Amino acid sequence: MILNLLLGIITFVELNCENLFDTRHDTLKQDQEYLADGVRHWNRHRYWDKVNHIAKEIISCGDQPTGWQLPDFVALCEVENDSVMRDLTQRSSLRNAGYQYVMTDSPDERGIDVALLYSPFSFRLLHSHAIRIEPLKKMRPTRDILYATGTLVNGDTLHVMVVHAPSRFNGEKKTRPHRLLVADRINATVDSIRAQSPDAQIIIMGDFNDEARDAAVKKMERAGLYDISQDAKGCNGAKGTYKYKSRWQSIDHILVSDALRRRMVSCVIHDAPFLLEEDKKYGGVKPLRNYTGYRYNNGYSDHLPLVARFDDNKQ
């Protein structure tokens, strides 16, 4: 990370972890399927395999201009709680990386949240808070948006949001207003930031459960954000971050303000071979997920990570 800073390169990763749950029951949440006696037969062995798989995946997203460099920021979706994040940062193969983190504590019924890992060598956190999404009528409580702001090593202020928008469960059209509501909250936050700093550096990362052509993403673009992940591709066969049956979809996104867009070097889908498996039913490859239905795969995630790099020396 220090070498990247000297070169002016900042690396961001976005990853939906696919249900990174611990093995303990939270009596306030519906997490029973991820217990030893649950339908997934989740146990300590499977949990630690999962934690170390996510750590390996994050490490593999690093840059190597002249030597291996870990990502500076990692936005994570579907992490259960602070205990999981402590294990990931302090007890996995990431334990020597020095990552710090902030996360939400949302009203999501299953107990999944979002988190931001950051390197203290790259970023000094000044403030973070959760942005609550007040549900519409008949809308289940959803994940908070995580907002964090701080300074980079060059003194610039950076604003980060991590998002996990409501799913399409019960149908895309029926749930579209729920994701538009999240887009409205993002746009309102961006407007507040720009009122104080018109050329602010802003990045929004996460699983939006919508593709680039869909209404919520378009609404954010009309508000002056740029979807730099719209045309991202992998180099080992991935044409999206998620595969549903035979169709690749890009429902994970990285959106930025113009100040960051001008400094962008690249945005790709990180489809390292060990994150993929042969798709025997539909052809090609697919993410090596942790579960297929209720069948344990001992994989990584049903989503592939996005990796975006920026040159801090660009204006």
Side-chain angles (χ1 to χ4, degrees):
M1 285 179 272
I2 295 175
L3 177 59
N4 268 353
L5 294 175
L6 294 174
L7 295 172
I9 301 298
I10 304 173
T11 302
F12 293 82
V13 171
E14 183 280 332
L15 172 64
N16 182 316
C17 297
E18 188 197 355
N19 296 315
L20 183 52
F21 279 82
D22 64 20
T23 60
R24 295 181 293 275
H25 178 43
D26 182 342
T27 58
L28 300 177
K29 301 295 182 179
Q30 298 173 12
D31 62 355
Q32 290 88 346
E33 65 179 302
Y34 281 93
L35 299 175
D37 58 356
V39 292
R40 298 187 185 276
H41 306 290
W42 195 238
N43 55 40
R44 295 290 291 173
H45 178 74
R46 290 183 176 186
Y47 168 70
W48 280 108
D49 277 351
K50 175 75 171 183
V51 168
N52 282 300
H53 279 176
I54 295 300
K56 179 181 177 181
E57 188 167 0
I58 291 170
I59 292 168
S60 75
C61 291
D63 189 22
Q64 47 178 347
T66 57
W68 197 260
Q69 301 295 315
L70 286 168
D72 301 285
F73 298 87
V74 185
L76 298 176
C77 299
E78 293 195 12
V79 290
E80 186 184 15
N81 52 36
D82 189 70
S83 175
V84 166
M85 292 304 301
R86 285 199 309 271
D87 286 342
L88 179 63
T89 56
Q90 298 177 24
R91 301 180 68 188
S92 76
S93 52
L94 284 175
R95 60 186 174 275
N96 294 322
Y99 279 121
Q100 297 178 12
Y101 66 89
V102 287
M103 71 178 304
T104 56
D105 184 12
S106 302
D108 177 84
E109 293 174 346
R110 294 178 59 236
I112 55 174
D113 280 291
V114 300
L116 177 70
L117 297 182
Y118 64 91
S119 167
F121 301 108
S122 310
F123 182 71
R124 183 167 69 92
L125 180 71
L126 297 176
H127 171 76
S128 68
H129 68 265
I131 301 171
R132 183 60 47 90
I133 307 297
E134 295 299 331
L136 301 172
K137 186 177 181 180
K138 295 184 179 181
M139 175 183 172
R140 294 184 297 178
T142 192
R143 281 75 59 174
D144 294 342
I145 298 168
L146 175 62
Y147 168 77
T149 186
T151 54
L152 300 169
V153 290
N154 65 357
D156 286 352
T157 299
L158 178 69
H159 304 268
V160 184
M161 282 181 266
V162 185
V163 181
H164 187 186
S167 75
R168 296 186 172 202
F169 185 75
N170 290 329
E172 187 280 327
K173 185 175 181 180
K174 187 174 181 180
T175 57
R176 187 184 306 160
H178 305 167
R179 292 182 295 281
L180 286 169
L181 178 63
V182 171
D184 286 338
R185 291 305 309 274
I186 292 170
N187 288 347
T189 303
V190 169
D191 286 345
S192 296
I193 295 168
R194 285 176 169 158
Q196 301 296 320
S197 178
D199 202 30
Q201 297 188 65
I202 306 168
I203 184 165
I204 301 111
M205 303 178 282
D207 177 357
F208 288 81
N209 277 301
D210 270 328
E211 296 189 80
R213 66 175 182 270
D214 291 318
V217 179
K218 289 298 183 186
K219 192 168 195 176
M220 290 180 287
E221 288 184 310
R222 288 195 298 271
L225 295 169
Y226 297 85
D227 183 2
I228 62 169
S229 56
Q230 179 172 345
D231 299 316
K233 295 289 186 293
C235 60
N236 290 298
K239 300 176 183 177
T241 57
Y242 181 82
K243 193 174 186 182
Y244 179 69
K245 295 184 178 179
S246 64
R247 182 172 174 269
W248 282 101
Q249 300 176 321
S250 288
I251 57 177
D252 301 273
H253 298 273
I254 298 177
L255 296 106
V256 300
S257 62
D258 188 55
L260 266 185
R261 181 185 64 89
R262 296 194 302 265
R263 296 179 174 182
M264 188 182 80
V265 175
S266 62
C267 185
V268 299
I269 297 168
H270 182 66
D271 61 343
F274 72 89
L275 298 176
L276 302 170
E277 65 176 337
E278 180 186 1
D279 190 339
K280 295 179 180 179
K281 185 172 183 179
Y282 296 107
V285 294
K286 62 181 180 179
L288 178 56
R289 56 193 300 165
N290 211 34
Y291 278 88
T292 300
Y294 292 106
R295 180 174 61 83
Y296 181 60
N297 274 351
N298 194 24
Y300 291 81
S301 174
D302 54 351
H303 290 242
L304 295 169
L306 288 167
V307 180
R309 296 186 174 93
F310 301 85
D311 185 346
D312 209 32
N313 295 318
K314 283 186 177 182
Q315 298 299 322

